[in-house]
């Protein structure tokens, strides 16, 4: 019998613009190499376009652009993290996936108050490690483009 068990969760860690981020592994369906996207007219600047994923059209979001680090110029070394969020499949463009990490919930710190509100909207927590590394946990619901309901 264990008392006071600390919750653990697995996250997929990745790099954007030399910075470390992560999302819950439960949201990740697969990790693919970069392939060119089909551009959509009038899409937000952080939407790279769409890809055909086994017959489904999937939007690819440039996370670097979305988080304010500047647009990514994708190359063969970039990856697209295919994630599922609230029944929507989306591709997240990242520089590389660095690791799958098991995180103790006790290591997740709140985002500092000093951070801009805009930055805090996208980040749900800061995960600290003994070696000094900090992973920022991304809130997919804030990052993704809003699906506008068509009203008849």
């Amino acid at each position: 019998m264990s008392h006071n068990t600390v919750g653990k969760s697995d996250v997929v860690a990745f790099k954007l613009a030399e910075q470390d981020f992560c999302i819950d592994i439960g949201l990740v369906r697969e990790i693919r190499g970069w392939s060119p996207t089909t551009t959509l007219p009038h899409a937000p600047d952080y939407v790279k376009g769409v890809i055909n994923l086994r017959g489904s059209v999937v939007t690819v979001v440039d996370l670097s652009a979305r988080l304010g680090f500047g647009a990514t110029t994708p190359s063969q070394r970039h990856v697209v993290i295919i994630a599922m969020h609230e029944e929507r499949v989306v591709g997240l463009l990242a520089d590389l996936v660095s690791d799958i990490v098991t995180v103790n919930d006790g290591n997740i710190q709140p985002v500092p108050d000093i951070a801009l509100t805009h930055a805090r909207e996208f980040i749900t927590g800061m995960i600290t490690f003994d070696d000094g590394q900090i992973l920022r946990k991304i809130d997919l619901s804030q990052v993704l483009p809003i699906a506008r309901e068509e009203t008849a």
Side-chain angles (χ1 to χ4, degrees), residues 10-26:
D10 287 341
V11 296
V12 174
F14 54 90
K15 285 199 179 292
L16 295 174
E18 307 297 314
Q19 305 286 319
D20 294 302
F21 292 89
C22 66
I23 60 174
D24 283 320
I25 198 166

Side-chain angles (χ1 to χ4, degrees), residues 92-111:
L92 307 171
L93 175 60
D95 296 349
L96 61 97
V97 169
S98 47
D99 209 352
I100 293 175
V101 185
T102 300
V103 176
N104 290 323
D105 292 347
N107 289 1
I108 302 176
Q109 307 291 321
V111 178

Side-chain angles (χ1 to χ4, degrees), residues 2 4 11 21-22 33 38 48 54 59 69 79 88 100 103-104 119 121 125 136 143 146:
S2 57
N4 289 337
V11 296
F21 292 89
C22 66
T38 301
K48 275 293 183 216
R54 292 182 291 283
T59 302
F69 297 120
V79 296
R88 290 170 64 199
I100 293 175
V103 176
N104 290 323
E121 285 175 16
R136 281 153 287 188
V143 167
I146 296 163

Side-chain angles (χ1 to χ4, degrees), residues 5-152:
T5 50
V6 175
K8 290 181 185 290
S9 56
D10 287 341
V11 296
V12 174
F14 54 90
K15 285 199 179 292
L16 295 174
E18 307 297 314
Q19 305 286 319
D20 294 302
F21 292 89
C22 66
I23 60 174
D24 283 320
I25 198 166
L27 301 173
V28 176
R29 293 295 171 258
E30 64 182 279
I31 297 163
R32 307 168 50 87
W34 167 254
S35 56
T37 58
T38 301
T39 310
L40 293 173
H42 303 293
D45 57 1
Y46 58 85
V47 172
K48 275 293 183 216
V50 294
I51 56 172
N52 177 347
L53 181 68
R54 292 182 291 283
S56 297
V57 175
V58 174
T59 302
V60 176
V61 172
D62 180 348
L63 281 178
S64 179
R66 184 68 172 121
L67 298 175
F69 297 120
T72 302
T73 304
S75 68
Q76 291 304 314
R77 64 183 181 80
H78 286 84
V79 296
V80 177
I81 301 166
I82 303 296
M84 180 76 135
H85 180 72
E86 295 178 354
E87 307 302 314
R88 290 170 64 199
V89 177
V90 66
L92 307 171
L93 175 60
D95 296 349
L96 61 97
V97 169
S98 47
D99 209 352
I100 293 175
V101 185
T102 300
V103 176
N104 290 323
D105 292 347
N107 289 1
I108 302 176
Q109 307 291 321
V111 178
D113 285 342
I114 196 80
L116 293 170
T117 308
H118 198 59
R120 283 206 312 264
E121 285 175 16
F122 297 120
I123 308 297
T124 59
M126 314 281 279
I127 302 168
T128 57
F129 296 93
D130 294 340
D131 65 3
Q133 182 190 20
I134 295 177
L135 275 179
R136 281 153 287 188
K137 194 168 184 184
I138 288 183
D139 181 352
L140 272 191
S141 64
Q142 295 299 322
V143 167
L144 301 182
I146 296 163
R148 289 186 175 78
E149 296 299 319
E150 297 298 320
T151 50

